[in-house]
Amino acid sequence: MKVLLIGGGGREHALAWKLAASPLVTELFVAPGNPGTAQFAANVAIGVMDFDGIEKFVRKTGIQFVVIGPEDPLAGGLTDRLQAMGIKVFGPTKEAAQMEADKWFAKEIMRQQSIPTADARSFTDAGAAEEYVRVRDEPCVIKATGLAKGKGVTVCARSSDALDTIDRIMRKKEFGGAGTRIIIEEILHGPECSILAFVDRRNIYVMESAQDHKPIDDGDTGPMTGGMGAYSPTPVVTDAILSTIEREILVPTVDGLLREGIEYRGILYAGLMLTSNGPRVLEFNCRFGDPETQPLMMRLQSDLMEVMLAVADGRLDEVELKWDPRPAISVVATSKGYPGKYSTGVPISGIASAEALPDVKVFHGGTRFEADGRSVLTDGGRVLSVTALGNTIAEAQNRAYEAMKMIHFDGMHYRRDIGHWAVGR
Ligand code: AMP
Ligand code: GLY
């Protein structure tokens, strides 16, 4: 099968690596891809939001299956457009992608289905939001309801932080239209986990657990990022907790969508907090997580293409996935200044030596080739993710950091404590 993967981040490098290994895939194209995907697939210079360009390429090349990595094209309706051409797609439709693209839509589904989540109110008027914060006078979490690259959430310990956040999102429009509506919700406490499931309208296959580390600095401090590192499995998610999550969260979510006439197909990703009262939903995403995908793909032993085809064909109940029992961990290296302004075009060295270590893979994210077509430069905030397997989580962690030490670029930053939650247990 001729397959086109949309996206160019670390997640897509990891997905492309697994897809390229499938005997079902005869040719793999990635739009736009990155120097990592160029090692085993054909990169095509088309942006993820260039739907006309994608449609033309699909027709011209005779693509039979399209996998959509990032949320923006999903929220923009790329699935609908390709399906209308008769192409099989992995990824939810525009309507279904609202689970991520509109946090208030997701809250409404959760409310209808009594799915455990933080108590929340939504506001489109800054004055009313400010009034609510003043009267309530308690710590809260403020979220832009639209897509904000994982940065639209602020945990506010004091009312003054909350007022400042409302000002940034609603008056200064830091996230543009994504902040037209905000959610103000109660703060929850407990360890976090990311539970990703393949969903084909009715059938749900829950993957191994993972945990992301979103704040930029060690000890989970500093501003939120798209994700600074992840590992799988996470020991806090026991089998009992995982089945509670499936029963009380994932199944009723998919049912709630069906009730609204929405058939969900693709990845449903639940960002959860394991509170003393049980798991609570923080957010849903309509796609694989980045960087959670990197350790998950290191551990997945089954044919990813076979599973994706089963999802598209509505026969997910026929596939069984095999996972490497060994834990995997992924550490992200970022450009100086991220998640704020950062510069690009900085030369990167040491990737090949890092990858020569056993059970280590370096997934490219924000990188590009130098004009010579060989050396690699930085080209984004999250530059690359070093991913390692180990017999224990501590061993995987040591390996990932050993490999990371071999890589260098000016202004490189990475957290030194990815996996600390699991290693410390
Ligand atoms: P989200 O993008 O909604 O998953 O939020 C990003 C991060 O903000 C989460 O990974 C949590 O660390 C934090 N967060 C979100 N909602 C809450 C909440 N209600 N209580 C505490 N922390 C939260
Ligand atoms: N790692 C968080 C996300 O992909 O949204």
Side-chain angles (χ1 to χ4, degrees):
M1 236 179 179
K2 283 190 181 184
V3 177
L4 170 65
L5 170 66
I6 306 291
R11 163 185 51 213
E12 284 77 23
H13 185 179
L15 294 176
W17 172 60
K18 290 302 287 182
L19 288 172
S22 167
L24 298 168
V25 179
T26 52
E27 274 184 90
L28 179 63
F29 300 88
V30 191
N34 62 40
T37 60
Q39 295 165 32
F40 45 74
N43 286 350
V44 193
I46 305 176
V48 303
M49 294 307 286
D50 179 2
F51 292 6
D52 290 338
I54 292 169
E55 186 175 326
K56 241 170 83 186
F57 180 79
V58 164
R59 274 192 212 288
K60 188 184 80 191
T61 317
I63 297 292
Q64 294 153 297
F65 194 83
V66 179
V67 178
I68 305 175
E71 60 275 21
D72 286 321
L74 290 165
L78 183 56
T79 299
D80 312 59
R81 179 130 170 205
L82 293 167
Q83 279 175 347
M85 293 165 62
I87 303 292
K88 281 190 188 177
V89 182
F90 183 84
T93 58
K94 179 176 181 151
E95 215 183 10
Q98 287 179 97
M99 285 303 284
E100 172 167 2
D102 181 355
K103 286 184 192 282
W104 191 242
F105 172 87
K107 279 279 186 199
E108 296 279 7
I109 296 282
M110 286 188 265
R111 200 191 314 265
Q112 284 163 22
Q113 295 292 99
S114 307
I115 292 165
T117 182
D119 280 338
R121 285 189 52 175
S122 91
F123 296 89
T124 50
D125 178 70
E130 286 158 350
E131 176 67 15
Y132 177 71
V133 161
R134 278 199 200 94
V135 171
R136 193 165 167 273
D137 196 24
E138 270 177 42
C140 65
V141 182
I142 300 192
K143 305 184 176 186
T145 53
L147 294 178
K149 306 225 174 297
K151 301 167 199 164
V153 174
T154 311
V155 179
C156 306
R158 290 180 305 256
S159 297
S160 56
D161 302 338
L163 293 172
D164 179 55
T165 303
I166 293 168
D167 185 57
R168 280 192 295 109
I169 302 180
M170 302 193 84
R171 297 193 201 278
K172 301 207 173 88
K173 307 212 184 301
E174 198 171 288
F175 304 113
T180 305
R181 181 190 287 276
I182 61 163
I183 287 178
I184 304 184
E185 69 182 31
E186 63 172 329
I187 293 199
L188 300 173
H189 299 280
E192 285 183 48
C193 63
S194 304
I195 303 298
L196 282 72
F198 289 100
V199 177
D200 82 358
R201 190 176 102 90
R202 252 184 209 295
N203 300 300
I204 296 177
Y205 183 98
V206 183
M207 287 183 236
E208 295 276 296
S209 62
Q211 196 203 336
D212 183 16
H213 297 64
K214 287 199 176 118
I216 185 88
D217 286 318
D218 287 1
D220 291 319
T221 55
M224 294 291 176
T225 69
M228 294 299 293
Y231 61 95
S232 166
T234 162
V236 290
V237 180
T238 59
D239 288 347
I241 294 179
L242 201 58
S243 58
T244 304
I245 293 169
E246 176 162 11
R247 197 177 58 246
E248 293 181 6
I249 294 171
L250 296 171
V251 171
T253 300
V254 171
D255 284 349
L257 286 165
L258 272 178
R259 273 206 193 174
E260 295 291 311
I262 300 174
E263 299 190 348
Y264 199 100
R265 283 199 178 83
I267 298 291
L268 182 63
Y269 160 148
L272 304 162
M273 199 164 254
L274 305 176
T275 73
S276 50
N277 295 318
R280 297 278 181 276
V281 177
L282 299 179
E283 65 163 347
F284 282 110
N285 292 321
C286 64
R287 42 141 186 107
F288 278 99
D290 191 341
E292 291 94 326
T293 305
Q294 289 85 316
L296 285 171
M297 291 303 114
M298 279 301 260
R299 297 189 59 217
L300 181 67
Q301 292 175 326
S302 313
D303 183 337
L304 178 65
M305 184 63 203
E306 196 180 314
V307 189
M308 289 184 160
L309 264 175
V311 168
D313 292 341
R315 37 175 193 82
L316 185 55
D317 50 333
E318 291 172 17
V319 299
E320 201 41 65
L321 299 193
K322 269 191 70 188
W323 299 91
D324 192 324
R326 291 177 299 164
I329 194 164
S330 187
V331 182
V332 175
T334 57
S335 297
K336 186 175 182 196
Y338 174 83
K341 281 203 173 65
Y342 53 83
S343 49
T344 60
V346 181
I348 309 171
S349 63
I351 294 180
S353 342
E355 276 208 307
L357 293 175
D359 287 322
V360 170
K361 279 209 67 77
V362 178
F363 293 113
H364 290 240
T367 65
R368 67 176 149 89
F369 282 121
E370 169 83 275
D372 65 8
R374 278 202 311 275
S375 18
V376 173
L377 308 176
T378 65
D379 196 34
R382 291 193 293 167
V383 175
L384 49 83
S385 45
V386 175
T387 311
L389 281 162
N391 287 316
T392 60
I393 188 79
E395 190 177 291
Q397 191 189 42
N398 286 337
R399 253 185 209 154
Y401 280 111
E402 198 187 321
M404 187 64 103
K405 283 194 199 115
M406 299 173 140
I407 299 177
H408 176 79
F409 55 89
D410 278 349
M412 175 179 179
H413 165 80
Y414 58 90
R415 278 181 61 164
R416 317 285 152 150
D417 65 346
I418 301 302
H420 68 94
W421 243 100
V423 172
R425 288 170 75 89

